[in-house]
Amino acid sequence: MFGFGDKKSEPEPAYSVELDSGAHDVMPSSPINFTESSSASDDAELQRHLMREQQRAQFQEQINKFNDICWETCIDKPSSRLDSKTETCIVNCVNRFIDLNLLCAQRFAQMLQQQGGF
Amino acid sequence: MDSLPSTGRMTGAQREELIEQVKQQIAIATAQELLTKISEKCFKKCIIKPSSSLDSSEQKCIAMCMDRYMDSWNLVSKTYSSRLQKESMR
């Protein structure tokens, strides 16, 4: 389930950790098409692939952070399933955290402007 | 991103292997991090007073806690994805 182990035995998951369908797949894997002899376009292709993997890793890192915070905020005692109240709490938690982040970034930018930068 | 060391002498197969290795290493790092988090969170929720062994109610709690943590992870992933999509359309 973590996307490693047995190679090519099953279709590759969209993320390394992906338990449900790929409905929220924003960064699907693209097929790799390298020609046998290397060329400049192959180098660009390789860079593109590696950058994509880096983005995917950053995305997962961000989810880990959100989940850490929202788990503490929304889960009291783990039960047999996530009830709708908890689900709403998690969705709101993620969105409000992003709002807060944007707001703080904005205010920070204003502060820097007023002080004329660092 | 800094430019990568020259890959001029790599064959197509070597390039594919490199990407495969990067993918695997990221997957392993993600799994390890998730496992660490789950242990930390579920210890906090389920082991109120550590005794001489994990009793059955603690084991049950741990199993549920882990499943819920993964549910939550997936929901957060979905929520974050759709927020990113919404923000990029603004």
Side-chain angles (χ1 to χ4, degrees):
Chain A
M1 77 176 180
F2 293 117
F4 58 85
D6 202 322
K7 262 196 205 171
K8 309 268 184 274
S9 61
E10 50 187 335
E12 203 154 357
Y15 303 120
S16 304
V17 180
E18 181 65 78
L19 294 184
D20 49 15
S21 71
H24 48 287
D25 185 6
V26 286
M27 295 188 291
S29 300
S30 45
I32 302 171
N33 286 313
F34 289 124
T35 49
E36 216 16 80
S37 63
S38 57
S39 67
S41 75
D42 270 348
D43 273 358
E45 173 86 353
L46 183 65
Q47 287 235 7
R48 217 168 46 75
H49 275 289
L50 291 177
M51 230 135 88
R52 210 171 177 72
E53 291 311 316
Q54 196 185 25
Q55 274 178 355
R56 216 185 302 250
Q58 279 169 353
F59 180 79
Q60 286 180 344
E61 186 54 41
Q62 197 60 60
I63 296 170
N64 276 334
K65 276 187 195 149
F66 289 155
N67 201 30
D68 188 338
I69 292 157
C70 297
W71 173 266
E72 293 298 329
T73 309
C74 298
I75 312 276
D76 183 25
K77 269 267 159 212
S79 57
S80 56
R81 52 180 281 270
L82 285 187
D83 58 29
S84 65
K85 239 171 91 181
T86 310
E87 283 188 354
T88 310
C89 179
I90 290 169
V91 171
N92 286 339
C93 170
V94 171
N95 279 313
R96 293 305 76 73
F97 192 84
I98 295 169
D99 288 346
L100 177 144
N101 210 305
L102 291 173
L103 193 70
C104 290
Q106 240 173 36
R107 278 184 60 88
F108 197 70
Q110 276 171 4
M111 268 162 57
L112 287 180
Q113 255 176 5
Q114 277 161 13
Q115 292 170 6
F118 278 109
Chain B
M1 195 167 139
D2 295 333
S3 65
L4 291 159
S6 169
T7 50
R9 260 162 293 168
M10 288 173 91
T11 64
Q14 281 172 327
R15 284 154 197 265
E16 278 186 46
E17 205 189 308
L18 177 65
I19 289 172
E20 217 31 69
Q21 272 179 12
V22 168
K23 277 188 186 172
Q24 288 227 348
Q25 275 167 18
I26 291 173
I28 290 169
T30 306
Q32 279 174 340
E33 205 182 321
L34 194 59
L35 192 60
T36 309
K37 269 276 162 259
I38 287 173
S39 303
E40 180 196 316
K41 297 294 184 192
C42 297
F43 186 84
K44 226 160 128 185
K45 294 272 186 227
C46 298
I47 318 290
I48 288 104
K49 208 165 173 244
S51 59
S52 58
S53 69
L54 287 180
D55 64 35
S56 70
S57 72
E58 285 170 334
Q59 283 181 25
K60 236 171 37 203
C61 177
I62 292 163
M64 273 201 298
C65 174
M66 183 167 173
D67 291 349
R68 294 301 77 72
Y69 200 82
M70 300 303 294
D71 287 348
S72 177
W73 202 99
N74 282 318
L75 182 57
V76 167
S77 166
K78 217 184 294 190
T79 308
Y80 183 38
S81 290
S82 55
R83 181 66 188 258
L84 279 179
Q85 250 158 15
K86 226 169 73 190
E87 294 293 336
S88 69
M89 279 191 290
R90 293 214 298 186

